[in-house]
Amino acid sequence: MKKSEISASMMCSDLVNLKQTIDIFEKQKVEYLHIDVMDGEFVPNIGLGVDYISSLRKLTNIPLDLHLMIKEPEYKLSWIGIKETDMVSVHYESTYQVQRMLDKLNLFGCRKFLAINPATPIWVLEEVLDYIDGINLLMVNPGFAGQQIVQSTIKKAEKLQLFLRERDKENIIIQVDGNITPEHGSILRQYGASIFVGGTSSIFKGNVEDYEHNVEILREAIR
């Protein structure tokens, strides 16, 4: 089983206490900072942008987990400032040219993840398994923090684990994103998930002083 890792969802963070939050995450050895980039078109919200990403890199060396919820990302990748140390999720649903999108992502040397929404069937992954490092399994419909999990996605995670096993692709990483409570995280860990996006349901509950303990609780649940 792959090592479990935490990706902290920075759209849930309080900008006033951002440096204190980052210091806590560095102390707790949080593996990634999850950055939701939203364009108001692919999803009905505007998310963290290029300037935020650039500024965050000056605050910390924690690798970034860039979740691009934008339409036709293959034409916008150069704007983002992607680094080789990054993990980048692009949505299957965001373009008619999924293969072209993945090919263009190759140019940045980052790890490539394909994200799929709750209602997108896992069979769409069949023809791209040789070209991706991971799958970002959305457990809520993307765009907003604080949503409740789409219950069918838990069974979907189990199906995805079997899907990869049957194709001898268990090396592909499964990331889960959306309402990842410690309880949900524990279940999804059994279904092969190894990267857990922590937001308002786990890490960012309460005040910034609570974050350290919250990370410890999530970490214990996903061991």
Side-chain angles (χ1 to χ4, degrees):
M1 184 178 285
K2 299 179 185 69
K3 176 189 173 186
S4 62
E5 298 179 309
I6 291 173
S7 187
S9 182
M10 298 307 292
M11 72 179 291
C12 304
S13 65
D14 179 355
L15 289 177
V16 174
N17 298 304
L18 184 58
K19 183 62 170 68
Q20 185 181 355
T21 299
I22 294 296
D23 289 344
I24 290 169
F25 291 163
E26 289 180 342
K27 179 183 177 183
Q28 288 295 309
K29 295 181 169 52
V30 167
E31 285 83 3
Y32 308 99
L33 301 180
H34 186 86
I35 312 298
D36 288 303
V37 181
M38 298 181 275
D39 62 0
E41 188 171 4
F42 179 64
V43 293
N45 197 2
I46 301 292
L48 306 174
V50 173
D51 290 340
Y52 179 90
I53 293 169
S54 177
S55 297
L56 196 60
R57 292 194 194 278
K58 297 174 184 177
L59 284 179
T60 183
N61 290 320
I62 298 176
L64 301 189
D65 169 17
L66 302 173
H67 181 188
L68 306 185
M69 291 178 273
I70 58 180
K71 187 174 180 181
E72 297 184 329
E74 60 267 35
Y75 303 114
K76 303 164 186 175
L77 294 172
S78 61
W79 306 352
I80 310 295
I82 297 169
K83 306 292 185 184
E84 289 186 2
T85 53
D86 295 340
M87 185 164 63
V88 181
S89 291
V90 286
H91 268 266
Y92 170 85
E93 308 88 356
S94 68
T95 179
Y96 292 113
Q97 301 290 343
V98 175
Q99 188 65 59
R100 177 186 293 166
M101 174 173 64
L102 293 172
D103 285 346
K104 290 202 173 183
L105 201 50
N106 270 337
L107 300 174
F108 299 91
C110 60
R111 285 199 286 172
K112 300 177 295 180
F113 280 53
L114 194 61
I116 55 173
N117 288 335
T120 300
I122 59 175
W123 57 258
V124 302
L125 301 165
E126 182 81 52
E127 302 304 329
V128 296
L129 293 176
D130 290 337
Y131 308 103
I132 59 176
D133 300 296
I135 297 158
N136 183 358
L137 193 63
L138 271 289
M139 315 303 286
V140 301
N141 289 298
F144 296 94
Q147 298 183 69
Q148 294 300 304
I149 196 167
V150 177
Q151 285 298 322
S152 61
T153 59
I154 295 178
K155 184 67 175 177
K156 184 179 180 181
E158 184 180 17
K159 290 195 299 184
L160 177 59
Q161 182 186 40
L162 181 60
F163 177 86
L164 294 176
R165 183 180 299 151
E166 289 174 341
R167 288 154 181 80
D168 196 26
K169 291 293 183 180
E170 291 180 279
N171 61 307
I172 290 178
I173 298 163
I174 299 175
Q175 179 182 47
V176 287
D177 182 1
N179 194 210
I180 305 301
T181 64
E183 295 76 19
H184 291 151
S186 179
I187 295 168
L188 293 164
R189 179 63 170 155
Q190 297 174 47
Y191 296 151
S194 61
I195 300 179
F196 300 80
V197 179
T200 56
S201 301
S202 55
I203 295 176
F204 292 94
K205 290 175 71 172
N207 300 314
V208 67
E209 292 79 13
D210 301 311
Y211 293 174
E212 185 168 353
H213 184 53
N214 292 345
V215 171
E216 291 171 352
I217 292 172
L218 181 59
R219 183 84 70 189
E220 183 61 32
I222 62 175
R223 286 195 189 281

